[in-house]
Amino acid sequence: MNKRNRTVIAVAAIALTLLYFLPLWSIRLEAPQYPEGLGMRIWVNTITGVGPNDLQNINGLNHYIGMKTIEPESIPELAIMPWALGFLMILGLATAMAGRRWMLYGWLGLLIAAAIVGLADFYLWEYDYGHNLDPTAAIKIPGMAYQPPLVGSKMLLNFKATSLPALGGWIALAAGAVIAGVAFLELRASRRNVGRDAGAVLREASGGDPT
């Protein structure tokens, strides 16, 4: 890989450190009785409310419909993600230092796989909380589930739930897009070099006569 692309890869890997300090995802609830809304943020290692009491209020509302209490310390993924992120960052820096295309393609593949696994796990987490309800809950509506959307907005009773990437999530998406762009450029350069080498071999075999 050329020096410019290696530098871009290193910057993208270093940018992932911001995910330790910025929220990855945000879920917001809006309803007439909460005009300012309630929200929670998912970080790489914890879950917090947007406001000081938002998470407590969300858990209180969830209790009435039979949802489990959201307790960050009981979610094993939040203990794993910081280590997984650190591994991906180190691998990205190693790729930039080594300058090997196969390492770049492998790193990109791991990033895509991590994103898919993360979103799938998040969906299953939402499904579990929204469907596996306490049958003795105060509010029971037959056939009603309370799973928030993975991305976008959805009405849950009189609450509008909106789920979107937070700043850290957008940074991760931007870093992934940059890395994919570099991988595309390197793949195109590799194919161009192969074509030039093949042309040189043919010219040599024909005694230097391209015809």
PDB file of all heavy atoms in Angstrom, residues 20 44 79-88:
ATOM      1  N   TYR A  20     -14.729   5.143  22.966  1.00  0.00           N
ATOM      2  CA  TYR A  20     -14.652   4.936  24.407  1.00  0.00           C
ATOM      3  C   TYR A  20     -15.238   6.120  25.181  1.00  0.00           C
ATOM      4  O   TYR A  20     -15.522   5.999  26.375  1.00  0.00           O
ATOM      5  CB  TYR A  20     -13.204   4.730  24.844  1.00  0.00           C
ATOM      6  CG  TYR A  20     -12.628   3.388  24.481  1.00  0.00           C
ATOM      7  CD1 TYR A  20     -11.723   3.262  23.437  1.00  0.00           C
ATOM      8  CD2 TYR A  20     -12.985   2.243  25.186  1.00  0.00           C
ATOM      9  CE1 TYR A  20     -11.181   2.021  23.096  1.00  0.00           C
ATOM     10  CE2 TYR A  20     -12.454   1.008  24.861  1.00  0.00           C
ATOM     11  CZ  TYR A  20     -11.546   0.908  23.814  1.00  0.00           C
ATOM     12  OH  TYR A  20     -11.018  -0.326  23.481  1.00  0.00           O
ATOM     13  N   VAL A  44     -19.985   2.007  24.863  1.00  0.00           N
ATOM     14  CA  VAL A  44     -19.247   0.778  24.609  1.00  0.00           C
ATOM     15  C   VAL A  44     -19.221  -0.128  25.841  1.00  0.00           C
ATOM     16  O   VAL A  44     -19.063  -1.345  25.723  1.00  0.00           O
ATOM     17  CB  VAL A  44     -17.808   1.095  24.133  1.00  0.00           C
ATOM     18  CG1 VAL A  44     -16.957   1.630  25.277  1.00  0.00           C
ATOM     19  CG2 VAL A  44     -17.141  -0.112  23.496  1.00  0.00           C
ATOM     20  N   ALA A  79     -19.321  -5.778  28.807  1.00  0.00           N
ATOM     21  CA  ALA A  79     -17.994  -6.091  29.345  1.00  0.00           C
ATOM     22  C   ALA A  79     -17.046  -6.549  28.237  1.00  0.00           C
ATOM     23  O   ALA A  79     -15.821  -6.411  28.355  1.00  0.00           O
ATOM     24  CB  ALA A  79     -18.104  -7.171  30.418  1.00  0.00           C
ATOM     25  N   ILE A  80     -17.611  -7.084  27.151  1.00  0.00           N
ATOM     26  CA  ILE A  80     -16.795  -7.620  26.050  1.00  0.00           C
ATOM     27  C   ILE A  80     -16.408  -6.537  25.052  1.00  0.00           C
ATOM     28  O   ILE A  80     -15.286  -6.531  24.526  1.00  0.00           O
ATOM     29  CB  ILE A  80     -17.567  -8.753  25.339  1.00  0.00           C
ATOM     30  CG1 ILE A  80     -17.789  -9.922  26.305  1.00  0.00           C
ATOM     31  CG2 ILE A  80     -16.827  -9.225  24.091  1.00  0.00           C
ATOM     32  CD1 ILE A  80     -18.728 -10.981  25.743  1.00  0.00           C
ATOM     33  N   MET A  81     -17.339  -5.613  24.789  1.00  0.00           N
ATOM     34  CA  MET A  81     -17.130  -4.648  23.702  1.00  0.00           C
ATOM     35  C   MET A  81     -15.870  -3.788  23.838  1.00  0.00           C
ATOM     36  O   MET A  81     -15.197  -3.535  22.833  1.00  0.00           O
ATOM     37  CB  MET A  81     -18.369  -3.774  23.535  1.00  0.00           C
ATOM     38  CG  MET A  81     -19.513  -4.480  22.833  1.00  0.00           C
ATOM     39  SD  MET A  81     -20.764  -3.341  22.162  1.00  0.00           S
ATOM     40  CE  MET A  81     -21.346  -2.542  23.661  1.00  0.00           C
ATOM     41  N   PRO A  82     -15.493  -3.308  25.036  1.00  0.00           N
ATOM     42  CA  PRO A  82     -14.266  -2.520  25.111  1.00  0.00           C
ATOM     43  C   PRO A  82     -13.030  -3.293  24.650  1.00  0.00           C
ATOM     44  O   PRO A  82     -12.143  -2.733  23.996  1.00  0.00           O
ATOM     45  CB  PRO A  82     -14.181  -2.149  26.598  1.00  0.00           C
ATOM     46  CG  PRO A  82     -15.589  -2.202  27.080  1.00  0.00           C
ATOM     47  CD  PRO A  82     -16.223  -3.322  26.325  1.00  0.00           C
ATOM     48  N   TRP A  83     -12.974  -4.574  24.985  1.00  0.00           N
ATOM     49  CA  TRP A  83     -11.834  -5.395  24.577  1.00  0.00           C
ATOM     50  C   TRP A  83     -11.859  -5.663  23.073  1.00  0.00           C
ATOM     51  O   TRP A  83     -10.821  -5.625  22.403  1.00  0.00           O
ATOM     52  CB  TRP A  83     -11.849  -6.715  25.343  1.00  0.00           C
ATOM     53  CG  TRP A  83     -11.644  -6.529  26.815  1.00  0.00           C
ATOM     54  CD1 TRP A  83     -12.610  -6.479  27.788  1.00  0.00           C
ATOM     55  CD2 TRP A  83     -10.405  -6.328  27.494  1.00  0.00           C
ATOM     56  NE1 TRP A  83     -12.057  -6.278  29.027  1.00  0.00           N
ATOM     57  CE2 TRP A  83     -10.696  -6.182  28.876  1.00  0.00           C
ATOM     58  CE3 TRP A  83      -9.074  -6.271  27.075  1.00  0.00           C
ATOM     59  CZ2 TRP A  83      -9.707  -5.974  29.831  1.00  0.00           C
ATOM     60  CZ3 TRP A  83      -8.088  -6.066  28.033  1.00  0.00           C
ATOM     61  CH2 TRP A  83      -8.408  -5.925  29.382  1.00  0.00           C
ATOM     62  N   ALA A  84     -13.052  -5.922  22.539  1.00  0.00           N
ATOM     63  CA  ALA A  84     -13.177  -6.164  21.097  1.00  0.00           C
ATOM     64  C   ALA A  84     -12.784  -4.917  20.313  1.00  0.00           C
ATOM     65  O   ALA A  84     -12.091  -5.002  19.294  1.00  0.00           O
ATOM     66  CB  ALA A  84     -14.604  -6.572  20.755  1.00  0.00           C
ATOM     67  N   LEU A  85     -13.214  -3.751  20.794  1.00  0.00           N
ATOM     68  CA  LEU A  85     -12.857  -2.500  20.126  1.00  0.00           C
ATOM     69  C   LEU A  85     -11.347  -2.274  20.171  1.00  0.00           C
ATOM     70  O   LEU A  85     -10.739  -1.871  19.176  1.00  0.00           O
ATOM     71  CB  LEU A  85     -13.593  -1.336  20.791  1.00  0.00           C
ATOM     72  CG  LEU A  85     -13.266   0.062  20.268  1.00  0.00           C
ATOM     73  CD1 LEU A  85     -13.610   0.185  18.783  1.00  0.00           C
ATOM     74  CD2 LEU A  85     -14.025   1.126  21.082  1.00  0.00           C
ATOM     75  N   GLY A  86     -10.733  -2.534  21.326  1.00  0.00           N
ATOM     76  CA  GLY A  86      -9.281  -2.373  21.431  1.00  0.00           C
ATOM     77  C   GLY A  86      -8.536  -3.285  20.474  1.00  0.00           C
ATOM     78  O   GLY A  86      -7.546  -2.879  19.850  1.00  0.00           O
ATOM     79  N   PHE A  87      -9.010  -4.527  20.334  1.00  0.00           N
ATOM     80  CA  PHE A  87      -8.385  -5.466  19.397  1.00  0.00           C
ATOM     81  C   PHE A  87      -8.476  -4.955  17.967  1.00  0.00           C
ATOM     82  O   PHE A  87      -7.487  -5.004  17.208  1.00  0.00           O
ATOM     83  CB  PHE A  87      -9.061  -6.831  19.510  1.00  0.00           C
ATOM     84  CG  PHE A  87      -8.656  -7.806  18.444  1.00  0.00           C
ATOM     85  CD1 PHE A  87      -7.421  -8.440  18.493  1.00  0.00           C
ATOM     86  CD2 PHE A  87      -9.504  -8.085  17.380  1.00  0.00           C
ATOM     87  CE1 PHE A  87      -7.033  -9.331  17.502  1.00  0.00           C
ATOM     88  CE2 PHE A  87      -9.133  -8.972  16.391  1.00  0.00           C
ATOM     89  CZ  PHE A  87      -7.895  -9.603  16.446  1.00  0.00           C
ATOM     90  N   LEU A  88      -9.638  -4.435  17.577  1.00  0.00           N
ATOM     91  CA  LEU A  88      -9.813  -3.926  16.212  1.00  0.00           C
ATOM     92  C   LEU A  88      -8.930  -2.704  15.964  1.00  0.00           C
ATOM     93  O   LEU A  88      -8.382  -2.545  14.873  1.00  0.00           O
ATOM     94  CB  LEU A  88     -11.278  -3.580  15.970  1.00  0.00           C
ATOM     95  CG  LEU A  88     -12.240  -4.772  15.897  1.00  0.00           C
ATOM     96  CD1 LEU A  88     -13.683  -4.294  15.852  1.00  0.00           C
ATOM     97  CD2 LEU A  88     -11.927  -5.643  14.675  1.00  0.00           C
TER      98      LEU A  88
END
